[in-house]
């Protein structure tokens, strides 16, 4: 799965149940992630991305800070929009780097992922 965010918590429960029933579960995730962390319930296949955990954490802090800023609705709207765009850019970059990772893509093809 490549979900990172609140849907991950629901997916995590499903993965735990699959593992308990004897299935091998493989999770493909970028090295930098907000919520996806290694677990005994599944095998992690991680791939590098061109941003750091600090970059993502700082973007998240800035995004939450916007909600407490003063200013007109329009000013805050555009700041929220910019913050959401940063997270979209992280996601797009993650997907692009997954598809460009020849070693991991070969592994996924060979394992009929």
């Amino acid at each position: 799965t490549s979900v990172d965010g609140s849907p991950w918590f629901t997916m995590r429960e499903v993965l735990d149940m699959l593992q308990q029933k004897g299935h091998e579960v493989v999770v493909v995730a970028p090295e930098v992630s907000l919520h996806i962390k290694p677990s005994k319930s599944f095998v992690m296949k991680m791939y590098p991305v061109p941003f750091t955990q600090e970059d993502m954490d700082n973007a998240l802090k800035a995004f939450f800070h916007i909600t407490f800023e003063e200013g007109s609705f329009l000013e805050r709207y555009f700041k929220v929009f910019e913050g959401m765009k940063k997270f979209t850019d992280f996601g797009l970059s993650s997907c692009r780097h997954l598809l460009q990772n020849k070693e991991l893509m070969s592994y996924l093809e060979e394992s009929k992922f």
Side-chain angles (χ1 to χ4, degrees), residues 35-58:
H35 302 291
I36 302 173
K37 304 297 179 216
S39 167
K40 293 177 184 172
S41 299
F42 50 81
V43 174
M44 288 283 293
K45 292 291 183 183
M46 302 185 90
Y47 59 93
V49 289
F51 50 88
T52 65
Q53 188 71 49
E54 185 178 11
D55 294 334
M56 187 175 276
D57 291 345
N58 287 340

Side-chain angles (χ1 to χ4, degrees), residues 5-6 13 41 56 60 80 89-90 101:
S6 59
E13 292 175 18
S41 299
M56 187 175 276
L60 185 63
V80 166
D89 290 346
F90 284 136
N101 188 314

